[in-house]
Amino acid sequence: MTNETNTQQTQQTQQTGQTRHTHRTLGTTGPSVHPLGLGCMGMSALYGEADRAESIATVHAALDAGVTLLDTGDFYGMGHNELLINEALRTAPAAARDRALTSVKFGALRTVEGGFTGYDGRPAAVKNFLAYSLQRLGRDHIDIYRIARVDPDVPIEETVGAIAEAVQAGHVRHIGLSEVGADTLRRAAAVAPISDLQIEYSLISRGIEAEILPTARELGIGITAYGVLSRGLISGHFARDRALAPGDFRGMSPRFQGDNLARNLDLVDALRKVADEKGVSVAQTAIAWVLSRGEDIVPLVGARRRDRLAEALGALDTVLTPADLAAIEAAVPAGAAAGERYPAAQMAHLDSEH
């Protein structure tokens, strides 16, 4: 997709809203998907205990609403999330099950206690991770397969080459990437077609705009944007005095700490004024902003409950005019967030930040 084409499509979306409910294609080689994907991580890990029955009901509600892309990782709850998706798909109507597309991240190395010890992108490891994921998901293929973080000890060409072999064997449909920088994106795309780059993108995480997003567009690679509500921080539902559950990742996240949290929630208060004037929620405004960035971007919403899912889907009917966009960006200027998006140890694993 050229920059000119993307700009024209973005303007059409912003001015008319007519393209909001149409499917979006992940890059020039990827699948056609609903404009919103469902990020399933929180149903198994990192945000405290989740209700399994409600999680499955939320997946069913998403499929019923037309959502097609289910995003997971083999290390989310050490396989728990893949097994949960398996159950949700097995118990969904056949037509919905057939429409579902799975996007799986692999490569993270874990400890019994739940710690992360690195990433493994060796070709032999790729085949091993894939075999286990197919078994847990109960499917004969994965629609998009990607390493969660670049293994610094293995050239990205080798990792992508191994996934390309899985594509040739019919076990994977498309190759994705996650949190890689522009140079790595180019190197990977020289090996095999890349459908999409999964990377954090939101009103308060706009680092991809300088180099990564233009490179993806030049190469015809789509964006699946996670963290569009910044882990609930800009959802409009996060209270200043909220006590986080044990094991909640946000307890270690710099943006949720002390003065950083207070400053970031001040931004949310400013965004709320814009949302209130439009008669929509803060979350809907934040998601609609990501949707407005271009037809090559598919936001992933991490809803764990049906009510949160319904709210997120409402963003598809939230049409942002140029005046709305100006007001949003005045409320939350680029670079205004306080704190990094991950703790320092995890930031070091992000190829996209180097």
Side-chain angles (χ1 to χ4, degrees), residues 203 266-286 288-289 318-333:
L203 272 168
D266 285 344
L267 297 175
V268 177
D269 288 341
L271 183 62
R272 193 185 307 276
K273 294 178 182 178
V274 179
D276 286 347
E277 289 182 3
K278 285 193 66 66
V280 297
S281 73
V282 174
Q284 288 166 342
T285 304
W289 181 87
T318 303
V319 179
L320 300 178
T321 66
D324 293 332
L325 291 169
I328 289 169
E329 298 201 18
V332 187

mmCIF file of all heavy atoms in Angstrom, residues 203 266-286 288-289 318-333:
data_model
loop_
_atom_site.group_PDB
_atom_site.id
_atom_site.type_symbol
_atom_site.label_atom_id
_atom_site.label_comp_id
_atom_site.label_asym_id
_atom_site.label_seq_id
_atom_site.Cartn_x
_atom_site.Cartn_y
_atom_site.Cartn_z
ATOM 1 N N LEU A 203 -2.636 6.474 21.501
ATOM 2 C CA LEU A 203 -2.460 7.908 21.675
ATOM 3 C C LEU A 203 -1.223 8.244 22.496
ATOM 4 O O LEU A 203 -0.592 9.283 22.272
ATOM 5 C CB LEU A 203 -3.699 8.509 22.353
ATOM 6 C CG LEU A 203 -4.828 8.950 21.435
ATOM 7 C CD1 LEU A 203 -6.082 9.243 22.248
ATOM 8 C CD2 LEU A 203 -4.411 10.177 20.624
ATOM 9 N N ASP A 266 -4.170 12.603 34.123
ATOM 10 C CA ASP A 266 -4.537 13.977 33.760
ATOM 11 C C ASP A 266 -4.806 14.061 32.258
ATOM 12 O O ASP A 266 -5.727 14.761 31.809
ATOM 13 C CB ASP A 266 -3.412 14.952 34.136
ATOM 14 C CG ASP A 266 -3.335 15.220 35.639
ATOM 15 O OD1 ASP A 266 -4.316 14.909 36.357
ATOM 16 O OD2 ASP A 266 -2.295 15.736 36.088
ATOM 17 N N LEU A 267 -4.005 13.339 31.466
ATOM 18 C CA LEU A 267 -4.236 13.291 30.026
ATOM 19 C C LEU A 267 -5.588 12.646 29.714
ATOM 20 O O LEU A 267 -6.307 13.096 28.812
ATOM 21 C CB LEU A 267 -3.128 12.498 29.334
ATOM 22 C CG LEU A 267 -1.704 13.050 29.426
ATOM 23 C CD1 LEU A 267 -0.720 12.061 28.794
ATOM 24 C CD2 LEU A 267 -1.600 14.408 28.748
ATOM 25 N N VAL A 268 -5.913 11.599 30.473
ATOM 26 C CA VAL A 268 -7.203 10.925 30.272
ATOM 27 C C VAL A 268 -8.353 11.874 30.589
ATOM 28 O O VAL A 268 -9.367 11.892 29.887
ATOM 29 C CB VAL A 268 -7.285 9.652 31.136
ATOM 30 C CG1 VAL A 268 -8.659 8.994 30.986
ATOM 31 C CG2 VAL A 268 -6.196 8.664 30.737
ATOM 32 N N ASP A 269 -8.207 12.679 31.645
ATOM 33 C CA ASP A 269 -9.249 13.647 31.988
ATOM 34 C C ASP A 269 -9.459 14.639 30.846
ATOM 35 O O ASP A 269 -10.599 15.021 30.537
ATOM 36 C CB ASP A 269 -8.875 14.392 33.271
ATOM 37 C CG ASP A 269 -8.979 13.511 34.512
ATOM 38 O OD1 ASP A 269 -9.672 12.466 34.436
ATOM 39 O OD2 ASP A 269 -8.375 13.859 35.541
ATOM 40 N N ALA A 270 -8.361 15.052 30.208
ATOM 41 C CA ALA A 270 -8.484 15.967 29.074
ATOM 42 C C ALA A 270 -9.161 15.276 27.896
ATOM 43 O O ALA A 270 -10.003 15.873 27.200
ATOM 44 C CB ALA A 270 -7.104 16.481 28.671
ATOM 45 N N LEU A 271 -8.819 14.009 27.674
ATOM 46 C CA LEU A 271 -9.448 13.244 26.596
ATOM 47 C C LEU A 271 -10.930 13.026 26.873
ATOM 48 O O LEU A 271 -11.752 13.028 25.946
ATOM 49 C CB LEU A 271 -8.730 11.897 26.437
ATOM 50 C CG LEU A 271 -9.198 10.991 25.302
ATOM 51 C CD1 LEU A 271 -8.993 11.671 23.946
ATOM 52 C CD2 LEU A 271 -8.453 9.655 25.345
ATOM 53 N N ARG A 272 -11.279 12.872 28.129
ATOM 54 C CA ARG A 272 -12.676 12.649 28.506
ATOM 55 C C ARG A 272 -13.551 13.839 28.088
ATOM 56 O O ARG A 272 -14.708 13.663 27.692
ATOM 57 C CB ARG A 272 -12.795 12.411 30.009
ATOM 58 C CG ARG A 272 -14.149 11.862 30.437
ATOM 59 C CD ARG A 272 -14.263 11.758 31.960
ATOM 60 N NE ARG A 272 -13.147 11.020 32.531
ATOM 61 C CZ ARG A 272 -13.098 9.691 32.607
ATOM 62 N NH1 ARG A 272 -14.100 8.964 32.138
ATOM 63 N NH2 ARG A 272 -12.052 9.095 33.152
ATOM 64 N N LYS A 273 -13.001 15.030 28.169
ATOM 65 C CA LYS A 273 -13.779 16.210 27.775
ATOM 66 C C LYS A 273 -14.121 16.154 26.287
ATOM 67 O O LYS A 273 -15.236 16.493 25.884
ATOM 68 C CB LYS A 273 -12.988 17.478 28.097
ATOM 69 C CG LYS A 273 -12.781 17.718 29.587
ATOM 70 C CD LYS A 273 -11.941 18.961 29.839
ATOM 71 C CE LYS A 273 -11.705 19.164 31.335
ATOM 72 N NZ LYS A 273 -10.836 20.346 31.595
ATOM 73 N N VAL A 274 -13.183 15.704 25.479
ATOM 74 C CA VAL A 274 -13.436 15.562 24.050
ATOM 75 C C VAL A 274 -14.481 14.480 23.805
ATOM 76 O O VAL A 274 -15.416 14.658 23.013
ATOM 77 C CB VAL A 274 -12.136 15.225 23.298
ATOM 78 C CG1 VAL A 274 -12.401 15.063 21.799
ATOM 79 C CG2 VAL A 274 -11.071 16.286 23.545
ATOM 80 N N ALA A 275 -14.326 13.352 24.507
ATOM 81 C CA ALA A 275 -15.267 12.241 24.339
ATOM 82 C C ALA A 275 -16.675 12.641 24.767
ATOM 83 O O ALA A 275 -17.659 12.308 24.080
ATOM 84 C CB ALA A 275 -14.783 11.037 25.150
ATOM 85 N N ASP A 276 -16.763 13.350 25.885
ATOM 86 C CA ASP A 276 -18.085 13.766 26.386
ATOM 87 C C ASP A 276 -18.785 14.674 25.381
ATOM 88 O O ASP A 276 -20.011 14.585 25.186
ATOM 89 C CB ASP A 276 -17.935 14.486 27.722
ATOM 90 C CG ASP A 276 -17.607 13.537 28.875
ATOM 91 O OD1 ASP A 276 -17.735 12.307 28.682
ATOM 92 O OD2 ASP A 276 -17.220 14.026 29.952
ATOM 93 N N GLU A 277 -18.027 15.541 24.727
ATOM 94 C CA GLU A 277 -18.629 16.441 23.745
ATOM 95 C C GLU A 277 -19.178 15.679 22.543
ATOM 96 O O GLU A 277 -20.149 16.098 21.928
ATOM 97 C CB GLU A 277 -17.603 17.478 23.288
ATOM 98 C CG GLU A 277 -17.267 18.518 24.357
ATOM 99 C CD GLU A 277 -16.282 19.557 23.853
ATOM 100 O OE1 GLU A 277 -15.910 19.494 22.660
ATOM 101 O OE2 GLU A 277 -15.897 20.431 24.664
ATOM 102 N N LYS A 278 -18.577 14.532 22.237
ATOM 103 C CA LYS A 278 -19.063 13.712 21.132
ATOM 104 C C LYS A 278 -20.134 12.719 21.569
ATOM 105 O O LYS A 278 -20.756 12.057 20.745
ATOM 106 C CB LYS A 278 -17.902 12.941 20.489
ATOM 107 C CG LYS A 278 -16.993 13.792 19.630
ATOM 108 C CD LYS A 278 -16.059 12.949 18.785
ATOM 109 C CE LYS A 278 -16.770 12.126 17.736
ATOM 110 N NZ LYS A 278 -17.413 12.924 16.677
ATOM 111 N N GLY A 279 -20.313 12.571 22.874
ATOM 112 C CA GLY A 279 -21.297 11.628 23.375
ATOM 113 C C GLY A 279 -20.851 10.178 23.282
ATOM 114 O O GLY A 279 -21.680 9.268 23.148
ATOM 115 N N VAL A 280 -19.527 9.957 23.351
ATOM 116 C CA VAL A 280 -18.990 8.603 23.316
ATOM 117 C C VAL A 280 -18.068 8.417 24.509
ATOM 118 O O VAL A 280 -17.777 9.367 25.242
ATOM 119 C CB VAL A 280 -18.227 8.327 22.000
ATOM 120 C CG1 VAL A 280 -19.165 8.429 20.811
ATOM 121 C CG2 VAL A 280 -17.060 9.298 21.829
ATOM 122 N N SER A 281 -17.605 7.195 24.718
ATOM 123 C CA SER A 281 -16.744 6.936 25.871
ATOM 124 C C SER A 281 -15.287 7.269 25.545
ATOM 125 O O SER A 281 -14.899 7.412 24.384
ATOM 126 C CB SER A 281 -16.851 5.471 26.304
ATOM 127 O OG SER A 281 -16.187 4.621 25.393
ATOM 128 N N VAL A 282 -14.492 7.368 26.596
ATOM 129 C CA VAL A 282 -13.064 7.610 26.418
ATOM 130 C C VAL A 282 -12.437 6.472 25.620
ATOM 131 O O VAL A 282 -11.646 6.699 24.698
ATOM 132 C CB VAL A 282 -12.364 7.761 27.786
ATOM 133 C CG1 VAL A 282 -10.857 7.872 27.612
ATOM 134 C CG2 VAL A 282 -12.905 8.977 28.531
ATOM 135 N N ALA A 283 -12.777 5.243 25.984
ATOM 136 C CA ALA A 283 -12.213 4.080 25.281
ATOM 137 C C ALA A 283 -12.573 4.113 23.807
ATOM 138 O O ALA A 283 -11.727 3.841 22.935
ATOM 139 C CB ALA A 283 -12.705 2.789 25.921
ATOM 140 N N GLN A 284 -13.813 4.422 23.490
ATOM 141 C CA GLN A 284 -14.230 4.482 22.091
ATOM 142 C C GLN A 284 -13.463 5.552 21.325
ATOM 143 O O GLN A 284 -13.074 5.356 20.173
ATOM 144 C CB GLN A 284 -15.738 4.723 22.006
ATOM 145 C CG GLN A 284 -16.546 3.511 22.420
ATOM 146 C CD GLN A 284 -18.007 3.817 22.657
ATOM 147 O OE1 GLN A 284 -18.390 4.979 22.841
ATOM 148 N NE2 GLN A 284 -18.837 2.784 22.671
ATOM 149 N N THR A 285 -13.204 6.661 21.983
ATOM 150 C CA THR A 285 -12.445 7.740 21.345
ATOM 151 C C THR A 285 -11.016 7.303 21.065
ATOM 152 O O THR A 285 -10.478 7.534 19.971
ATOM 153 C CB THR A 285 -12.444 8.988 22.246
ATOM 154 O OG1 THR A 285 -13.795 9.378 22.544
ATOM 155 C CG2 THR A 285 -11.729 10.148 21.580
ATOM 156 N N ALA A 286 -10.397 6.647 22.044
ATOM 157 C CA ALA A 286 -9.007 6.203 21.885
ATOM 158 C C ALA A 286 -8.883 5.143 20.794
ATOM 159 O O ALA A 286 -7.926 5.150 20.007
ATOM 160 C CB ALA A 286 -8.475 5.665 23.211
ATOM 161 N N ALA A 288 -11.050 4.672 18.281
ATOM 162 C CA ALA A 288 -11.385 5.305 17.003
ATOM 163 C C ALA A 288 -10.199 6.100 16.458
ATOM 164 O O ALA A 288 -9.995 6.168 15.237
ATOM 165 C CB ALA A 288 -12.600 6.216 17.172
ATOM 166 N N TRP A 289 -9.413 6.689 17.357
ATOM 167 C CA TRP A 289 -8.224 7.417 16.903
ATOM 168 C C TRP A 289 -7.258 6.467 16.199
ATOM 169 O O TRP A 289 -6.729 6.793 15.134
ATOM 170 C CB TRP A 289 -7.542 8.097 18.091
ATOM 171 C CG TRP A 289 -6.321 8.871 17.686
ATOM 172 C CD1 TRP A 289 -6.265 10.160 17.253
ATOM 173 C CD2 TRP A 289 -4.973 8.378 17.636
ATOM 174 N NE1 TRP A 289 -4.980 10.508 16.934
ATOM 175 C CE2 TRP A 289 -4.155 9.431 17.156
ATOM 176 C CE3 TRP A 289 -4.380 7.158 17.947
ATOM 177 C CZ2 TRP A 289 -2.776 9.295 16.992
ATOM 178 C CZ3 TRP A 289 -3.007 7.009 17.780
ATOM 179 C CH2 TRP A 289 -2.217 8.073 17.309
ATOM 180 N N THR A 318 -17.823 5.464 15.816
ATOM 181 C CA THR A 318 -17.333 6.762 16.266
ATOM 182 C C THR A 318 -16.514 7.386 15.151
ATOM 183 O O THR A 318 -15.344 7.052 14.954
ATOM 184 C CB THR A 318 -16.472 6.604 17.538
ATOM 185 O OG1 THR A 318 -17.242 5.944 18.553
ATOM 186 C CG2 THR A 318 -16.017 7.960 18.064
ATOM 187 N N VAL A 319 -17.123 8.263 14.393
ATOM 188 C CA VAL A 319 -16.457 8.910 13.269
ATOM 189 C C VAL A 319 -15.781 10.184 13.764
ATOM 190 O O VAL A 319 -16.417 11.052 14.369
ATOM 191 C CB VAL A 319 -17.459 9.238 12.156
ATOM 192 C CG1 VAL A 319 -16.766 9.936 10.994
ATOM 193 C CG2 VAL A 319 -18.154 7.967 11.675
ATOM 194 N N LEU A 320 -14.501 10.284 13.524
ATOM 195 C CA LEU A 320 -13.733 11.444 13.977
ATOM 196 C C LEU A 320 -13.494 12.397 12.808
ATOM 197 O O LEU A 320 -12.885 12.027 11.801
ATOM 198 C CB LEU A 320 -12.397 10.991 14.566
ATOM 199 C CG LEU A 320 -12.484 10.049 15.776
ATOM 200 C CD1 LEU A 320 -11.083 9.639 16.214
ATOM 201 C CD2 LEU A 320 -13.253 10.688 16.925
ATOM 202 N N THR A 321 -13.974 13.619 12.941
ATOM 203 C CA THR A 321 -13.746 14.648 11.935
ATOM 204 C C THR A 321 -12.345 15.232 12.129
ATOM 205 O O THR A 321 -11.706 15.011 13.172
ATOM 206 C CB THR A 321 -14.776 15.762 12.084
ATOM 207 O OG1 THR A 321 -14.552 16.427 13.338
ATOM 208 C CG2 THR A 321 -16.208 15.216 12.044
ATOM 209 N N PRO A 322 -11.854 15.982 11.161
ATOM 210 C CA PRO A 322 -10.567 16.657 11.364
ATOM 211 C C PRO A 322 -10.546 17.516 12.625
ATOM 212 O O PRO A 322 -9.521 17.578 13.317
ATOM 213 C CB PRO A 322 -10.415 17.492 10.091
ATOM 214 C CG PRO A 322 -11.134 16.686 9.049
ATOM 215 C CD PRO A 322 -12.330 16.116 9.769
ATOM 216 N N ALA A 323 -11.664 18.149 12.949
ATOM 217 C CA ALA A 323 -11.727 18.965 14.168
ATOM 218 C C ALA A 323 -11.631 18.083 15.411
ATOM 219 O O ALA A 323 -10.976 18.442 16.392
ATOM 220 C CB ALA A 323 -13.026 19.775 14.193
ATOM 221 N N ASP A 324 -12.276 16.920 15.367
ATOM 222 C CA ASP A 324 -12.194 15.981 16.489
ATOM 223 C C ASP A 324 -10.747 15.523 16.687
ATOM 224 O O ASP A 324 -10.251 15.459 17.814
ATOM 225 C CB ASP A 324 -13.068 14.747 16.232
ATOM 226 C CG ASP A 324 -14.553 15.061 16.218
ATOM 227 O OD1 ASP A 324 -14.966 16.019 16.892
ATOM 228 O OD2 ASP A 324 -15.283 14.339 15.518
ATOM 229 N N LEU A 325 -10.093 15.170 15.591
ATOM 230 C CA LEU A 325 -8.713 14.695 15.679
ATOM 231 C C LEU A 325 -7.799 15.770 16.250
ATOM 232 O O LEU A 325 -6.909 15.479 17.056
ATOM 233 C CB LEU A 325 -8.225 14.265 14.300
ATOM 234 C CG LEU A 325 -8.879 13.001 13.733
ATOM 235 C CD1 LEU A 325 -8.521 12.822 12.268
ATOM 236 C CD2 LEU A 325 -8.463 11.777 14.528
ATOM 237 N N ALA A 326 -8.025 17.008 15.860
ATOM 238 C CA ALA A 326 -7.218 18.098 16.398
ATOM 239 C C ALA A 326 -7.448 18.251 17.892
ATOM 240 O O ALA A 326 -6.500 18.472 18.669
ATOM 241 C CB ALA A 326 -7.555 19.401 15.666
ATOM 242 N N ALA A 327 -8.705 18.116 18.321
ATOM 243 C CA ALA A 327 -9.017 18.233 19.745
ATOM 244 C C ALA A 327 -8.402 17.085 20.543
ATOM 245 O O ALA A 327 -7.895 17.281 21.660
ATOM 246 C CB ALA A 327 -10.534 18.261 19.937
ATOM 247 N N ILE A 328 -8.439 15.886 19.982
ATOM 248 C CA ILE A 328 -7.856 14.715 20.656
ATOM 249 C C ILE A 328 -6.361 14.900 20.829
ATOM 250 O O ILE A 328 -5.802 14.650 21.909
ATOM 251 C CB ILE A 328 -8.170 13.440 19.854
ATOM 252 C CG1 ILE A 328 -9.652 13.086 19.961
ATOM 253 C CG2 ILE A 328 -7.311 12.267 20.342
ATOM 254 C CD1 ILE A 328 -10.098 12.005 18.994
ATOM 255 N N GLU A 329 -5.702 15.349 19.783
ATOM 256 C CA GLU A 329 -4.250 15.480 19.861
ATOM 257 C C GLU A 329 -3.827 16.685 20.690
ATOM 258 O O GLU A 329 -2.699 16.727 21.199
ATOM 259 C CB GLU A 329 -3.657 15.510 18.459
ATOM 260 C CG GLU A 329 -3.948 14.203 17.730
ATOM 261 C CD GLU A 329 -3.022 13.913 16.565
ATOM 262 O OE1 GLU A 329 -1.945 14.533 16.511
ATOM 263 O OE2 GLU A 329 -3.375 13.065 15.738
ATOM 264 N N ALA A 330 -4.708 17.636 20.856
ATOM 265 C CA ALA A 330 -4.432 18.733 21.783
ATOM 266 C C ALA A 330 -4.563 18.243 23.224
ATOM 267 O O ALA A 330 -3.810 18.665 24.120
ATOM 268 C CB ALA A 330 -5.393 19.894 21.529
ATOM 269 N N ALA A 331 -5.507 17.336 23.442
ATOM 270 C CA ALA A 331 -5.703 16.780 24.789
ATOM 271 C C ALA A 331 -4.576 15.834 25.165
ATOM 272 O O ALA A 331 -4.106 15.815 26.316
ATOM 273 C CB ALA A 331 -7.049 16.052 24.856
ATOM 274 N N VAL A 332 -4.131 15.042 24.188
ATOM 275 C CA VAL A 332 -3.065 14.063 24.427
ATOM 276 C C VAL A 332 -2.002 14.251 23.336
ATOM 277 O O VAL A 332 -1.974 13.511 22.355
ATOM 278 C CB VAL A 332 -3.602 12.623 24.406
ATOM 279 C CG1 VAL A 332 -2.510 11.637 24.824
ATOM 280 C CG2 VAL A 332 -4.819 12.472 25.314
ATOM 281 N N PRO A 333 -1.115 15.209 23.502
ATOM 282 C CA PRO A 333 -0.109 15.457 22.469
ATOM 283 C C PRO A 333 0.862 14.284 22.342
ATOM 284 O O PRO A 333 1.103 13.548 23.303
ATOM 285 C CB PRO A 333 0.623 16.715 22.977
ATOM 286 C CG PRO A 333 -0.295 17.322 23.998
ATOM 287 C CD PRO A 333 -1.037 16.176 24.609
#
